[in-house]
């Protein structure tokens, strides 16, 4: 019985770690939404939004692949 519980906890461990690691990513992405909506209206804004989205995507990939 004890080993069955340990196996179930081990199976859910990765999901918990990913959920906890993605929390800061979701917060930062939410905080960046106004910039994504407003920056394209300014000169050079499309380039800055592109850089911002590339960094957010890279951060998300890193969190998901290394957790």
């Amino acid at each position: 019985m004890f080993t069955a519980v340990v196996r179930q906890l081990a199976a859910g461990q990765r999901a918990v770690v990913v959920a906890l690691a993605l929390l800061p990513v979701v917060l930062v992405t939410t905080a960046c939404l106004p910039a994504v909506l407003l920056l394209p209206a300014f000169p050079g804004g499309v380039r800055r939004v592109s850089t911002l989205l590339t960094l957010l995507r890279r951060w998300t990939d890193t969190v998901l692949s290394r957790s």
Side-chain angles (χ1 to χ4, degrees), residues 3-26:
T3 56
V5 171
V6 171
R7 285 185 189 146
Q8 288 177 349
L9 288 175
Q13 180 181 7
R14 179 175 169 83
V16 171
V17 168
V18 169
L20 288 175
L22 279 179
L23 184 62
V25 174
V26 170

Side-chain angles (χ1 to χ4, degrees), residues 40-61:
F42 295 104
V46 174
R47 181 183 47 81
R48 289 186 277 176
V49 168
S50 176
T51 304
L52 178 66
L53 292 177
T54 301
L55 290 172
L56 287 172
R57 184 179 42 196
R58 190 180 307 152
W59 190 20
T60 305
D61 288 341

